[in-house]
């Protein structure tokens, strides 16, 4: 029996407005048993929670994306803090830094990132990290956060988060794993030019990997350029399985177990 987990979706986005129900059905048919829908601003976080209330297989993460960091007010932070306590909310995210598109001023991105890391510590929830062209600063910030408030001890190791749609190198991935993070692999691993990412997957332990779609973005081959959806997480897992020389079922089972541990999912 196939048990896939799509650890990063934006099913609440308008791209799914007309056929969300069918998209979710197709995911179930493809063996996707768990979906984590990720907030990008307050409205999207609220919509993610509503989806998680409506569907037993959907869980929510709440947070403000670095693109939207400039919208984060104190009142909004309070609302996010309240949402973080909802029983279907399994993480704070997506949060982080995006120095590629720079849609919010960098200082505002840094402030929103810090504020939401503090929120995660307070709520006792893991974090979903977005990092684009900000590797060194994201890692330094996460190291300070982990060492300051989430220190994993040798006795009670606790996973602290995930680097979503990972785009760094092997050294960065290993540093993140050492800090207690999982590395999430998305559609680009199926792209023709993804030699480095495939090599990274080959070198990292499957016990530290998650799979995701980041739908509606980043559709894997052969759907590249079209709208992505959770059913296609199977194509990502298939590519990971090929690289690792394992069966799709085994990769699905192990990465789902990883997601279950990270997000403290109870079935
Ligand atoms: Ni995303």
């Amino acid at each position: 029996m196939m048990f896939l987990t799509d650890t990063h979706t934006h099913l609440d986005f308008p791209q799914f407005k007309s056929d969300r129900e069918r998209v979710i059905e197709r995911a179930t048919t493809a063996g996707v048993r768990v979906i984590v829908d990720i907030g990008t601003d307050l409205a999207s976080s609220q919509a993610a929670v509503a989806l998680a209330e409506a569907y037993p297989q959907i869980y929510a993460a709440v947070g403000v994306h670095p693109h939207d960091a400039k919208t984060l007010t104190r009142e909004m932070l309070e609302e996010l803090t309240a949402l973080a306590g909802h029983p279907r909310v399994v993480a704070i995210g997506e949060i982080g830094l995006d120095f590629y598109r720079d849609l919010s001023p960098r200082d505002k991105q840094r402030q929103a990132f810090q504020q939401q890391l503090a929120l995660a510590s307070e709520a006792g929830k893991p974090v979903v990290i977005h990092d684009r062209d900000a590797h060194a600063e994201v890692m330094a910030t996460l190291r300070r956060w982990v060492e300051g408030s989430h220190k994993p001890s040798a006795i009670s190791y606790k996973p602290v988060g995930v680097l979503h749609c990972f785009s760094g190198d092997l050294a960065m991935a290993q540093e993140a794993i050492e800090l207690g993070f999982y590395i999430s692999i998305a559609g680009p691993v199926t792209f023709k030019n993804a030699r480095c990412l495939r090599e990274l997957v080959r070198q990292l332990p499957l016990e530290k990997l998650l799979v995701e779609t980041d739908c509606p973005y980043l559709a894997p081959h052969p759907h590249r350029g079209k709208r992505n959806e959770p059913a296609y997480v199977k194509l990502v897992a298939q590519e990971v399985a090929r690289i690792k020389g394992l069966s799709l079922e085994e990769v699905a089972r192990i990465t789902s177990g990883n997601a279950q541990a990270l997000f403290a999912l109870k079935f």
Side-chain angles (χ1 to χ4, degrees):
M1 193 173 84
M2 184 78 78
F3 196 124
L4 283 157
T5 300
D6 187 350
T7 60
H8 195 113
T9 74
H10 299 288
L11 282 175
D12 55 284
F13 279 18
Q15 286 92 332
F16 296 108
K17 194 173 176 229
S18 64
D19 64 346
R20 188 173 293 116
E21 190 71 44
R22 268 164 300 165
V23 166
I24 293 169
E25 272 172 31
R26 279 201 292 275
T28 303
T29 305
V32 182
R33 307 293 168 94
V34 174
I35 290 171
V36 185
D37 197 68
I38 312 285
T40 58
D41 59 15
L42 181 60
S44 142
S45 296
Q46 287 163 335
V49 172
L51 275 176
E53 285 174 338
Y55 295 90
Q57 74 274 39
I58 301 183
Y59 296 85
V62 299
V64 174
H65 193 286
H67 290 344
D68 299 289
K70 58 178 180 279
T71 69
L72 183 59
T73 60
R74 181 152 297 280
E75 296 71 48
M76 204 183 280
L77 208 53
E78 276 163 24
E79 293 200 54
L80 285 173
T81 305
L83 275 181
H86 190 287
R88 303 289 294 173
V89 171
V90 296
I92 303 304
E94 58 189 294
I95 62 175
L97 300 174
D98 192 312
F99 293 170
Y100 177 71
R101 294 188 65 194
D102 277 323
L103 294 185
S104 282
R106 291 186 180 184
D107 275 340
K108 190 61 205 179
Q109 291 190 42
R110 292 181 178 109
Q111 188 193 20
F113 190 18
Q114 290 293 354
Q115 287 171 323
Q116 294 180 97
L117 285 172
L119 195 168
S121 297
E122 204 182 298
K125 302 261 159 113
V127 289
V128 178
I129 301 296
H130 173 102
D131 157 38
R132 193 129 186 241
D133 285 5
H135 298 334
E137 194 170 329
V138 163
M139 287 312 295
T141 306
L142 292 178
R143 178 171 286 283
R144 275 198 307 274
W145 176 64
V146 168
E147 289 175 350
S149 65
H150 257 276
K151 194 180 179 81
S153 80
I155 305 156
S156 63
Y157 180 83
K158 182 173 184 268
V160 293
V162 52
L163 298 193
H164 121 81
C165 192
F166 187 73
S167 61
D169 62 11
L170 184 63
M172 176 177 167
Q174 286 164 336
E175 185 188 349
I177 288 170
E178 178 222 321
L179 288 176
F181 284 87
Y182 286 88
I183 303 297
S184 183
I185 305 301
V189 77
T190 67
F191 296 170
K192 211 174 171 181
N193 59 358
R195 209 162 37 85
C196 292
L197 188 54
R198 282 191 284 269
E199 181 55 24
L200 184 101
V201 168
R202 200 180 64 75
Q203 302 231 25
L204 293 176
L206 188 58
E207 289 65 33
K208 292 297 169 190
L209 298 183
L210 303 177
V211 288
E212 64 166 285
T213 57
D214 199 16
C215 66
Y217 311 117
L218 292 173
H221 177 79
H223 306 288
R224 190 173 183 179
K226 305 206 184 79
R227 185 187 71 171
N228 198 359
E229 62 175 74
Y232 299 166
V233 78
K234 190 175 180 171
L235 297 165
V236 176
Q238 222 153 34
E239 181 59 21
V240 172
R242 194 192 62 75
I243 296 165
K244 292 288 198 191
L246 297 169
S247 70
L248 169 61
E249 287 74 14
E250 197 166 1
V251 167
R253 182 177 58 78
I254 293 172
T255 54
S256 286
N258 298 342
Q260 194 178 338
L262 172 61
F263 298 120
L265 304 178
K266 294 176 197 78
F267 304 115

